[in-house]
Amino acid sequence: MELFAGGVKDSDRVFSDLTATLAEILGDNNAPASCRHAVLQLAVILVCGISQLSPGAYFLRRDLFPCIVAIITCPETERYTFEAVLLLSLLANFHKSDAGRLNPYLKRIRETTDNVLMRKICWASNFVADAAVKAYQKILDDSPPTIGSALGLLFSSLRPDRALSSKPLDLSRELFKDQPIEACVVLLPIFEFSHANGTFRSAIIEPLDQSKERSKEGSPLAYTLLTLFSYILSHASSSSSARAIAYANLSLNILLIMVEDEKILSSLCSPSKANIRMCRQRPPLLPAFLPRAPICAVLDCVLLWLRHNLHKRLEVHSYIVSIRVASHVVWVLHKEHSHLEYYWQELWRALLGMLDFLSNKLDSLITTGGGIEQLVKETLWLLDDSLYFSDDILPSPRAVHGLVYELVHSVAILRKLRTLLDKVAIPSSPTRKRASSINDRTQEALTNILATTDYYENKIKDAGVQSATDALRLVAREIDQNGLNYNKDHHQGSDPPSKQGEEVVGFIRYAYLDGMSLMP
């Protein structure tokens, strides 16, 4: 206020005139495109520089939404859509948690039904997201292997300096320390629109509904986002960067919004010839598995997050969101009786590996806001649902056998969970019925899982089986002959997972920094 207005006394007039001038030029379709672009960039710089300080309120007094939309929809300025929609999302996040109802941009984002506007935002977002993906790939080429590249890798591994190496070196910390690029801030407007606006969510899958193959214009936004998420989630915690973690959390929340929308989830479950490329830059690599339904890429994102981000400083909330994403997928597969071809055992191992990590490292974990109890509970619910719905979601009896075997193999981990839940339990009033029902569901889920694992473990012990192969054969034979042994059905009439998409308020500080760095 001192800098622009010479003091608080004249600030009201100066800032009111400033926002009025910005609105006038941005909304003037007769003004030169270069001039409107320069004013748009000035507005982004101002909003990023002001951050959450009081002068930002002047941008709420004057509704800039119509003039920002004019930039996006005008043929002469539509190429500046990314900067325009970034400005809009930054304005929507001004004191969002405590003054959301007073923010006109949130209301506008929620209520607009302009299909043309939504398509243009999707187009611009797709272009920027693809650039962010290419930035990862430029650092380390993870193209699908060919015969030539496989031979080259073999010969390279035989080099003396590599042959004596005890284990492969993970260079992620150094190579990807500056990723994702600043343009990835486009995820903020994608989140704002997908969280609040059904028309935008429909626009995300519109190209998928029109054609199940790649369009001539390139990969649809939904597919590009899944690819980008896979890279962000693979490298999120490798550099110990709070910024990278913030982007991962935002990505997981967008993913949760996508699977909570029935139309998007149904579209992703439909057969498709599209090849959605997933990150293969960090070992262990995802197995090659093509072609497949796009929903497999959603599970891949969950799997990559589970695999690569178990650290002493654990992002518990992000893990909870990833489990909720998987739970929605499992539920819709059960509902549609879709036997999904997927490398399910990799997912089971990742889930059980996470529970093992929590059991062994609980006392040394540094967590943000707690939540270990909720994470363990929701993981148990997911495993229990997967076990009970296995005939509906898994593609073959062999896949069912694999799930049961993985649970039996990890029975020691599962038995430790009762102790773990007791240690992390949050005291609650006995009158809180919801907390009581959640605890009852958790106990039932764990009891069911342990009853199943104990049954087949005893069968294996009684048969004197020594090898893993023979144990799997015995489990398979027992299930094929007598069906799956399941203790108690508590799924009759159960509801689908509740929608838990929420605001991502903490990301805005990184949006300001990245938005400012993109400006001239």
Side-chain angles (χ1 to χ4, degrees):
M1 290 182 177
E2 285 286 342
L3 205 62
F4 280 86
V8 178
K9 181 179 177 181
D10 291 329
S11 63
D12 192 68
R13 176 185 59 81
V14 171
F15 279 101
S16 295
D17 290 346
L18 173 63
T19 53
T21 304
L22 292 174
E24 182 179 355
I25 299 175
L26 288 175
D28 185 1
N29 288 338
N30 295 319
S34 59
C35 178
R36 297 173 75 189
H37 183 213
V39 171
L40 173 61
Q41 291 180 321
L42 174 62
V44 173
I45 292 171
L46 285 170
V47 172
C48 290
I50 290 171
S51 184
Q52 297 288 304
L53 299 177
S54 56
Y58 289 95
F59 287 89
L60 270 61
R61 288 187 185 180
R62 181 174 295 276
D63 188 0
L64 299 181
F65 187 86
C67 61
I68 294 175
V69 170
I71 291 284
I72 297 172
T73 54
C74 178
E76 287 76 21
T77 56
E78 63 180 2
R79 60 185 180 275
Y80 310 129
T81 293
F82 166 54
E83 291 154 303
V85 76
L86 172 60
L87 174 60
L88 182 57
S89 62
L90 294 173
L91 293 170
N93 275 271
F94 182 76
H95 284 270
K96 189 175 185 180
S97 59
D98 55 1
R101 293 182 180 180
L102 302 177
N103 191 315
Y105 303 102
L106 289 173
K107 185 173 184 292
R108 291 283 202 162
I109 290 174
R110 184 171 58 250
E111 295 179 353
T112 184
T113 57
D114 188 338
N115 283 295
V116 175
L117 173 66
M118 300 306 176
R119 292 191 191 103
K120 287 183 180 291
I121 294 174
C122 285
W123 174 83
S125 301
N126 198 17
F127 182 84
V128 177
D130 185 60
V133 170
K134 287 181 169 60
Y136 280 100
Q137 295 169 346
K138 185 177 180 180
I139 295 173
L140 181 62
D141 183 15
D142 63 340
S143 302
T146 62
I147 295 177
S149 64
L151 288 174
L153 185 62
L154 173 62
F155 291 136
S156 176
S157 66
L158 297 177
R159 283 169 40 188
D161 59 331
R162 295 191 178 183
L164 299 177
S165 178
S166 60
K167 61 180 181 178
L169 183 63
D170 186 359
L171 300 176
S172 298
R173 182 179 297 274
E174 186 62 28
L175 289 177
F176 298 96
K177 63 181 180 180
D178 297 324
Q179 297 299 311
I181 60 174
E182 290 83 355
C184 204
V185 74
V186 73
L187 292 181
L188 179 61
I190 290 174
F191 172 81
E192 294 299 340
F193 275 89
S194 59
H195 183 264
N197 193 288
T199 304
F200 182 78
R201 293 195 296 272
S202 297
I204 289 178
I205 60 170
E206 194 174 70
L208 310 186
D209 295 335
Q210 292 172 354
S211 173
K212 296 303 177 183
E213 300 183 8
R214 267 193 169 189
S215 67
K216 295 180 180 180
E217 299 178 355
S219 179
L221 176 58
Y223 294 173
T224 306
L225 287 177
L226 290 173
T227 299
L228 177 57
F229 294 162
S230 74
Y231 284 89
I232 292 175
L233 297 174
S234 292
H235 297 291
S237 59
S238 63
S239 61
S240 301
S241 164
R243 174 179 174 274
I245 291 293
Y247 271 101
N249 183 50
L250 182 62
S251 299
L252 285 168
N253 276 276
I254 295 173
L255 199 58
L256 181 59
I257 291 169
M258 291 172 66
V259 299
E260 285 180 345
D261 187 284
E262 292 185 7
K263 292 182 179 179
I264 294 180
L265 191 53
S266 176
S267 182
L268 292 175
C269 287
S270 301
S272 173
K273 295 180 181 179
N275 177 11
I276 304 177
R277 183 169 168 177
M278 294 281 105
C279 176
R280 293 173 59 83
Q281 293 176 328
R282 295 193 68 186
L285 304 181
L286 293 174
F289 195 101
L290 297 171
R292 58 185 190 165
I295 195 64
C296 293
V298 175
L299 292 175
D300 279 350
C301 289
V302 173
L303 177 55
L304 289 169
W305 172 257
L306 293 174
R307 276 182 173 179
H308 298 305
N309 298 281
L310 284 174
H311 296 279
K312 182 179 178 181
R313 187 177 294 276
L314 190 68
E315 298 298 323
V316 178
H317 178 72
S318 295
Y319 268 88
I320 292 174
V321 175
S322 70
I323 297 301
R324 289 172 179 171
V325 170
S327 296
H328 276 277
V329 173
V330 166
W331 177 265
V332 79
L333 292 176
H334 149 67
K335 180 182 176 183
E336 302 296 331
H337 297 279
S338 300
H339 299 88
L340 184 66
E341 288 285 349
Y342 186 68
Y343 28 83
W344 287 101
Q345 273 190 283
E346 300 293 334
L347 182 60
W348 310 140
R349 289 169 184 167
L351 291 169
L352 292 164
M354 179 193 68
L355 292 174
D356 188 34
F357 178 85
L358 295 177
S359 299
N360 294 326
K361 305 289 186 180
L362 180 63
D363 294 335
S364 62
L365 289 179
I366 301 172
T367 61
T368 53
I372 295 287
E373 181 184 19
Q374 190 65 25
L375 174 58
V376 174
K377 287 180 177 180
E378 297 201 27
T379 305
L380 282 173
W381 301 345
L382 172 59
L383 287 172
D384 184 45
D385 286 348
S386 300
L387 189 64
Y388 182 69
F389 298 141
S390 57
D391 286 339
D392 292 334
I393 68 174
L394 300 183
S396 64
R398 183 178 180 181
V400 178
H401 306 156
L403 168 58
V404 174
Y405 173 76
E406 290 297 332
L407 292 172
V408 173
H409 182 67
S410 304
V411 66
I413 299 171
L414 295 168
R415 286 172 181 155
K416 288 190 291 186
L417 293 183
R418 291 196 190 279
T419 303
L420 176 62
L421 286 170
D422 288 339
K423 291 178 69 174
V424 299
I426 300 175
S428 59
S429 168
T431 60
R432 292 179 59 183
K433 294 182 179 180
R434 183 176 180 275
S436 177
S437 64
I438 288 176
N439 290 331
D440 289 345
R441 180 186 175 188
T442 304
Q443 292 301 326
E444 288 177 346
L446 183 55
T447 299
N448 284 337
I449 294 172
L450 287 175
T452 299
T453 54
D454 289 345
Y455 176 83
Y456 292 105
E457 183 188 35
N458 291 332
K459 291 288 184 180
I460 292 171
K461 288 180 178 178
D462 293 343
V465 171
Q466 299 296 322
S467 69
T469 302
D470 290 339
L472 180 58
R473 287 174 180 167
L474 187 148
V475 169
R477 184 170 62 251
E478 183 68 26
I479 294 175
D480 290 343
Q481 290 177 354
N482 303 313
L484 179 65
N485 183 277
Y486 188 83
N487 184 46
K488 178 184 177 183
D489 175 17
H490 61 93
H491 293 81
Q492 293 294 334
S494 59
D495 297 324
S498 58
K499 293 186 177 182
Q500 312 234 14
E502 57 187 50
E503 300 292 350
V504 185
V505 179
F507 179 79
I508 188 62
R509 72 188 70 171
Y510 303 103
Y512 289 140
L513 293 173
D514 287 350
M516 183 73 83
S517 67
L518 289 169
M519 295 300 104

